[in-house]
Amino acid sequence: MLTVKELCEKFGYEAMAMPDPEREITGGYVGDLLSWVMGRAKAGDAWVTIMSNVNIIAVATLADPACIILSEGVRPDAGVIERAEASGVNLLGCEKDSFAVASQIAREL
């Protein structure tokens, strides 16, 4: 298994909020339509998205992914990092596109 902290270290992802660095990643999900993610992402997934508003944290509290990864250089909207910390949601960022991020994670699992 791979932890969120190990993922960051191995691939150089930015830890924007990491309240639970030892959370294990058990799968992955790529999606930007929040209602779709709520119904399909699984607990423990690394969720890759370009959505950056505070609603991603609300979805994460329901779907329980190990982390959210903002791909393609996306920066979170104001207040998202604080909400992630307060909600116990690991929030990462990277410059790679969503396909590259998903491929990296898939190779590690």
Side-chain angles (χ1 to χ4, degrees):
M1 286 293 144
L2 184 69
T3 67
V4 174
K5 181 180 176 184
E6 290 168 340
L7 179 75
C8 281
E9 291 171 353
K10 182 160 190 149
F11 297 117
Y13 297 166
E14 176 187 355
M16 297 175 183
M18 200 179 307
D20 189 6
E22 299 306 316
R23 178 83 189 265
E24 288 189 347
I25 298 169
T26 57
Y29 192 82
V30 179
D32 302 317
L33 184 59
L34 299 182
S35 61
W36 199 264
V37 174
M38 278 191 314
R40 288 171 173 76
K42 295 176 182 60
D45 280 352
W47 171 24
V48 183
T49 185
I50 58 167
M51 294 298 295
S52 61
N53 64 52
V54 73
N55 293 331
I56 62 173
I57 306 306
V59 169
T61 62
L62 295 171
D64 193 31
C67 61
I68 301 170
I69 303 170
L70 300 180
S71 60
E72 305 194 32
V74 169
R75 303 302 302 172
D77 292 350
V80 172
I81 293 172
E82 294 80 11
R83 180 71 60 91
E85 285 284 351
S87 300
V89 174
N90 294 313
L91 180 64
L92 314 177
C94 71
E95 297 296 320
K96 294 178 176 80
D97 65 41
S98 297
F99 179 80
V101 174
S103 295
Q104 286 180 323
I105 293 167
R107 283 192 297 271
E108 293 300 313
L109 301 179

